[in-house]
Each structure stands twice: as C-alpha cells, then as structure tokens.
Amino acid sequence: VRARVMEVEESPDVGYEDVGGLDDQLREVRETVELPMKDPELFETVGIDPPSGVLLHGPPGTGKTLMAKAVANQTDATFIKMAGSELVHKFIGEGAKLVRDLFQVARDHEPAVVFIDEIDAIASKRTDSKTSGDAEVQRTMMQLLSEMDGFDERGEIRIIAATNRFDMLDRAILRPGRFDRLIEVPNPDVTGREKIFRIHTRSMNVADDVDYAKLAADTDDLSGADVKAICTEAGMFAIRDDREQITMQDFENAREKLEQDADAASAEPS
Ligand code: ATP
C-alpha cells in the first residue's frame, strides 16, 4: 500500500540550476528548509526556532515540486512525496494512519524532505463540517498537525506543502508553528521563461537560429511546465521531419500546437 501512495526518492537528480526564474522563492526555500538542516546550531545560537512548515502556493506547473526536490537533493535528504488527495479515504482512521506511516517513513530515512502536494484536499475551508466524510478529512489534518508538533526543531525532517488553491485553505493550518512560511510561486515572467527555455534545451541539439528571447516574449502567461512541453514538442517536430537538429521553426510550430491544444481543451464542455 505504502509504495503506491508515497513516492520515496533517495536523492532526486534535480538541482537548483534546474529551477528557472524563481530566485526569490528559491532563496526563501533554502533559508527555511536547507539552512536548518545544514546549520541547526545557527538557530540555537540566535535563539529562534526554524519555521515548521513551508507552504508553496501558485498555479499548476510553476515549479513547486521541482523546488522541493532540488532542496532535498542539495541537502542530501530523502524526498518523500504524497498527494493530499491520497489521504482522503472513506474509512474512518485511514487517512490519519497514512499520515503516521508517512512520518514513520520520514524518520526511517532522515534527513528527509516531506512534500505534501494538493494540501487543499485535506485542508479546505468547509461550509458543512458535520458530514462524516468531512469529519474524517479533518481528523487527517489534525493528525498531520500533531505530527508536525511532535518532532523537535533540529531540522532532520522538513515539511513542504503545496497548493493551487490558496484561497480555499483553512486558515487554521497557517497559524504560527504550522505552515507559517508562505511562498508564492507564480507563472514566470519573460526573463524567467527565457531561463526555463535555456534549462530545458540544455541537452537538446538546438540550431543556431533559435532565439530564446523571442520564444520567451511570445509565450506570455505560460507556466514552466508549458515551456518544457514546447521544448519536447519542438524535438518531436524535428524527429517527424527526419532531422537531428531542432530549429526555430520547430519551436514556433510547437508553440502553436500547444496553444491550439489549450484552446481545444478550454472549449470542451466540462
Ligand atoms: P502542480 O501544482 O501541478 O503540482 P508544480 O508547481 O509542482 O505543479 P512542477 O511539477 O514542479 O510543477 O513542474 C512540472 C515540470 O515543469 C517540472 O518538472 C519542470 O520540468 C517544469 N518546470 C516548471 N516550472 C519550472 C521552472 N520554474 N524552472 C524549470 N522548469 C520548470
């Protein structure tokens, strides 16, 4: 059961250099997650507790998981990921048990970064908290908070949560000692997009005519994940055309294809 719902990676092969355009966010993640792991004495000397939990919020595909993996890698920590939706179960006590298992796995693999994606699945504001399903979800959240209270501040286990629906979160989880560091992770601006294009083409066979600044300028409102998708798709265009090198035209075609796919998806009745 464990293996199915939890993802455990000894040392993810992602570094800070793979994250584009999130300099401020990365600095904050390092300060709150990396520093307490690498230099716990610093916090003791100064006499403050490091932040307990960090919450990353922003639209899908902006690099939240990527940053969590990078900080795990850079601190030689095990990366343990679970989706909040996996913690929502019909049976009473099952969500809480999974949370206990999750922290047991983290203790067995110290130092560890625990990443809980879609935290809103277990921490949404509820209009009707009296139905039994909601009560079970709340118990799961309480278990998570009590596990966070339970460990000492030496920093061997750090918790990062993420959500695309910050406005829906129950404010109780944002209280001091809980997820008290909020980091907004927005879509990249034009400079960020150019960096992300460069990151994802690093190992691609790219022709000299490829203009990264132009690609970045033409991809307003796209996420980092979209930029990555354009790079992969550009490679596919070259392959279909029986070429080994990817040209600017391939990138333009890929960008148009992604736009069309997005339009088609938004036109579909949901
Ligand atoms: P979700 O909220 O949907 O879980 P997320 O913010 O966690 O999304 P990631 O899983 O980190 O998004 O991003 C998906 C992929 O998109 C990454 O593996 C990476 O390849 C690429 N990507 C996204 N943002 C960036 C970025 N800022 N720099 C480099 N690559 C990025």
Side-chain angles (χ1 to χ4, degrees):
V1 176
R2 221 174 240 184
R4 218 175 45 224
V5 297
M6 234 179 267
E7 175 190 327
V8 180
E9 262 179 85
E10 259 344 307
S11 204
D13 60 350
V14 173
Y16 295 137
E17 70 283 1
D18 297 310
V19 182
L22 295 171
D23 296 350
D24 291 346
Q25 288 83 352
L26 205 52
R27 187 175 21 77
E28 237 187 303
V29 168
R30 296 185 64 168
E31 197 181 287
T32 49
V33 180
E34 181 184 316
L35 204 54
M37 286 177 124
K38 285 205 163 150
D39 197 358
E41 286 80 22
L42 179 66
F43 288 83
E44 264 164 48
T45 311
V46 174
I48 56 167
D49 293 334
S52 310
V54 176
L55 179 74
L56 307 178
H57 64 98
T62 47
K64 298 183 286 300
T65 310
L66 194 67
M67 278 198 291
K69 275 194 183 178
V71 76
N73 172 333
Q74 230 86 25
T75 50
D76 294 314
T78 312
F79 178 75
I80 304 171
K81 175 180 161 179
M82 189 177 240
S85 54
E86 298 279 8
L87 293 167
V88 178
H89 288 273
K90 299 199 280 287
F91 300 112
I92 294 188
E94 202 166 333
K97 183 179 179 305
L98 273 171
V99 170
R100 283 195 300 274
D101 287 352
L102 177 66
F103 280 83
Q104 189 53 54
V105 171
R107 280 189 290 269
D108 292 344
H109 290 81
E110 270 180 2
V113 170
V114 174
F115 181 69
I116 305 174
D117 205 359
E118 307 166 36
I119 187 90
D120 46 275
I122 53 166
S124 278
K125 280 181 249 183
R126 269 145 214 290
T127 40
D128 177 17
S129 60
K130 298 210 166 49
T131 63
S132 61
D134 284 354
E136 168 60 12
V137 166
Q138 269 175 354
R139 266 193 296 275
T140 305
M141 192 61 217
M142 294 312 293
Q143 184 66 39
L144 174 61
L145 295 178
S146 94
E147 292 283 350
M148 287 175 69
D149 287 342
F151 51 77
D152 65 33
E153 270 98 25
R154 272 185 14 268
E156 291 294 292
I157 301 176
R158 311 301 301 159
I159 310 192
I160 304 177
T163 182
N164 305 323
R165 307 183 184 162
F166 183 63
D167 53 313
M168 284 183 45
L169 281 192
D170 183 345
R171 300 289 136 178
I173 74 157
L174 308 180
R175 279 189 209 134
R178 296 178 169 180
F179 291 97
D180 50 10
R181 254 318 170 102
L182 306 181
I183 303 177
E184 189 184 354
V185 188
N187 274 333
D189 61 10
V190 63
T191 349
R193 289 195 300 275
E194 182 171 342
K195 285 184 184 149
I196 299 170
F197 268 113
R198 288 181 187 279
I199 287 169
H200 289 289
T201 49
R202 258 190 325 229
S203 56
M204 288 170 61
N205 186 4
V206 171
D208 286 341
D209 76 331
V210 172
D211 182 345
Y212 296 100
K214 179 165 191 328
L215 286 172
D218 289 344
T219 44
D220 248 353
D221 296 329
L222 295 194
S223 69
D226 294 330
V227 169
K228 182 192 183 182
I230 290 178
C231 296
T232 308
E233 194 57 46
M236 290 308 298
F237 273 103
I239 288 175
R240 269 182 226 128
D241 212 23
D242 224 6
R243 276 179 288 108
E244 286 176 353
Q245 232 186 16
I246 305 136
T247 62
M248 184 64 178
Q249 189 59 53
D250 293 324
F251 281 94
E252 301 280 14
N253 293 343
R255 183 177 58 77
E256 272 161 36
K257 181 168 188 295
L258 198 91
E259 264 168 27
Q260 281 158 11
D261 291 353
D263 287 345
S266 64
E268 246 161 56
S270 54

